[in-house]
Amino acid sequence: MTDLTAPRTITRSYLRYRDDLERPRPDEDRDIDRIIAVLRSNNERAYRKHKHGLRDAHAKSHGILRGELTVHPGLPPELAQGLFATPATYPVVARLSSTSGVIRSDQLRGVRGLGIKVLGVDGPRALPGDEATTQDFIMVTHREFLFADAHAYYTRGMPTAWVLARLPDPALHTGSTVLSALDAHVLRRIGLPLPPNLGVFVRPNTHILGETFYSSAPLRYGDYIAKILYTPVSPEVSALTGQPVDHDAGINAHQDMIVDFFACHSAEYELRVQLCTDLDTMPIEDATVEWPEADSPHRTVATVRFDRQDPYTPQRRAFGDDVLSFNSWRGLQAHRPLGSINRLKQRVYEASSNYRHNVNNAPRLEPTPDQLPQ
């Protein structure tokens, strides 16, 4: 006789990583070449304006944090992979940013970014010739990427990026306000959502420390494939989730709020992993598809902790903006980024970093813990 009161145990089968899972379009390299050329023109335009090289994305930082990542003990085998295979604590440096390639007011809505660099990570590297001992994770506040692949980014994303790079803040603020009103009072009433690449400009502008960040595109996770998120868990920082940015907080509101918070509080976040179970519902090459939580929920593998500190001293800002580079391909072979958007990022981020360090005559290094400014 079956005991109907006994808890059900769900057994999931996770897709194993194979080298032949990716399926690039035959014109992908050509599309990426064209994207790099457009973004280089944006880099050069920014340099003429600021007399300083900027990133072509994530140009404005809001805080540079020192912390620790602790891998949890007792993880099940499918989660105990790569960096997370063995319980350990690693130093980290994190850079919080807005994803625009233009230095803009923090009063503008948009996507926020997070780069985490884990230090002292040994093991075979994702890229040949990489001798660093760091693992980079790059995440944003949009769960899925706005474009499926490099071709979609070139044909639909680049025209938008070109225009946005040239719009002044007041015009962008007006456009965002109009879009928000159109979405709330017209489109929702007739069941028509805004396109995702416009929807990011109507999402609420909230405290960056309360945000959840997503890898958006998949990566190898040892023997498996995964997406990763980073979410606040300690009470003080969780209380900031959804907290609106005050309209009177100024053009550097996020920087000021981060500095004020860490003057008094520490913060803890969790890294959670969602493993791929099925390529049809969890594709690698289409980064716009939401992977169903019902098929594979995110599960915690590590805690990231930041103690009280000053996150934006002049030394930290210079180090985080001019010296450090973040590239998700800089890491272990066990966490090699996957899919077209990640292949695009590999080349775009490298080209941008090379240009920025060259025009700024800035050293380029992968840091050790003693090189991070206090």
Side-chain angles (χ1 to χ4, degrees):
M1 182 175 178
T2 302
D3 182 1
L4 298 179
T5 64
R8 290 173 52 193
T9 300
I10 299 175
T11 302
R12 292 183 173 91
S13 177
Y14 299 108
L15 188 71
R16 292 266 175 172
Y17 171 79
R18 305 190 312 270
D19 288 337
D20 63 351
L21 289 175
E22 295 178 280
R23 296 285 189 273
R25 286 173 57 108
D27 57 355
E28 183 175 273
D29 283 339
R30 183 188 64 187
D31 287 336
I32 296 176
D33 287 339
R34 291 171 173 173
I35 291 168
I36 290 173
V38 174
L39 293 177
R40 169 57 66 88
S41 72
N42 289 348
N43 282 147
E44 293 169 346
R45 184 174 183 274
Y47 182 71
R48 289 193 298 270
K49 178 179 179 180
H50 298 283
K51 301 298 185 277
H52 192 78
L54 303 178
R55 289 167 165 85
D56 56 35
H58 305 271
K60 184 177 183 178
S61 64
H62 305 302
I64 313 299
L65 296 168
R66 292 171 59 108
E68 290 184 334
L69 180 150
T70 300
V71 178
H72 290 192
L75 295 176
E78 68 273 15
L79 295 182
Q81 302 283 325
L83 171 67
F84 309 97
T86 304
T89 296
Y90 300 91
V92 301
V93 57
R95 180 180 185 267
L96 288 156
S97 63
S98 291
T99 59
S100 172
V102 180
I103 303 295
R104 296 199 180 276
S105 168
D106 292 353
Q107 293 297 325
L108 294 175
R109 310 180 196 197
V111 181
R112 310 305 172 195
L114 170 71
I116 298 177
K117 190 179 291 288
V118 188
L119 311 184
V121 179
D122 296 314
R125 307 295 289 174
L127 293 177
D130 181 6
E131 298 179 353
T133 56
T134 52
Q135 172 67 53
D136 288 3
F137 295 107
I138 298 177
M139 290 175 271
V140 294
T141 52
H142 204 273
R143 177 166 175 157
E144 283 71 50
F145 202 75
L146 299 177
F147 303 96
D149 55 18
H151 183 71
Y153 190 82
Y154 173 66
T155 56
R156 294 191 285 114
M158 289 312 299
T160 304
W162 189 91
V163 171
L164 289 176
R166 287 154 178 81
L167 278 179
D169 280 10
L172 194 57
H173 183 271
T174 299
S176 177
T177 302
V178 170
L179 276 176
S180 182
L182 178 67
D183 180 52
H185 301 299
V186 179
L187 297 181
R188 290 187 191 180
R189 294 183 180 183
I190 61 176
L192 289 178
L194 274 177
N197 61 320
L198 296 179
V200 296
F201 296 106
V202 304
R203 73 185 298 271
N205 187 18
T206 59
H207 200 304
I208 192 170
L209 292 178
E211 295 274 16
T212 294
F213 291 82
Y214 305 88
S215 64
S216 293
L219 67 155
R220 181 176 178 181
Y221 193 77
D223 294 333
Y224 303 96
I225 303 141
K227 290 184 178 182
I228 296 179
L229 68 75
Y230 163 103
T231 194
V233 293
S234 57
E236 295 85 356
V237 78
S238 296
L240 302 177
T241 299
Q243 182 182 109
V245 174
D246 194 304
H247 295 297
D248 298 323
I251 61 173
N252 295 316
H254 289 300
Q255 170 194 322
D256 294 340
M257 291 188 298
I258 292 169
V259 170
D260 289 348
F261 178 88
F262 280 106
C264 303
H265 305 288
S266 60
E268 288 189 359
Y269 295 80
E270 285 183 352
L271 283 181
R272 299 176 185 172
V273 169
Q274 182 184 30
L275 296 177
C276 179
T277 60
D278 184 339
L279 286 181
D280 290 331
T281 58
M282 301 178 171
I284 289 175
E285 296 295 347
D286 185 348
T288 63
V289 176
E290 180 179 349
W291 287 13
E293 287 281 336
D295 295 346
S296 180
H298 282 85
R299 292 187 285 167
T300 301
V301 295
T303 296
V304 180
R305 178 179 174 86
F306 303 107
D307 288 327
R308 291 173 56 183
Q309 58 190 284
D310 186 345
Y312 218 57
T313 64
Q315 294 81 5
R316 283 204 190 186
R317 178 178 180 177
F319 190 78
D321 287 353
D322 295 338
V323 177
L324 287 184
S325 294
F326 291 87
N327 189 328
S328 49
W329 287 81
R330 188 166 293 113
L332 298 176
Q333 187 181 74
H335 298 308
R336 177 186 177 275
L338 300 174
S340 180
I341 290 299
N342 275 322
R343 294 191 295 273
L344 164 66
K345 288 181 177 181
Q346 177 190 0
R347 293 183 52 199
V348 164
Y349 283 9
E350 190 68 10
S352 173
S353 181
N354 287 340
Y355 176 83
R356 177 168 54 90
H357 284 86
N358 181 54
V359 297
N360 292 338
N361 194 28
R364 184 173 177 179
L365 57 84
E366 286 300 292
T368 59
D370 61 322
Q371 292 172 312
L372 302 179
Q374 293 296 326

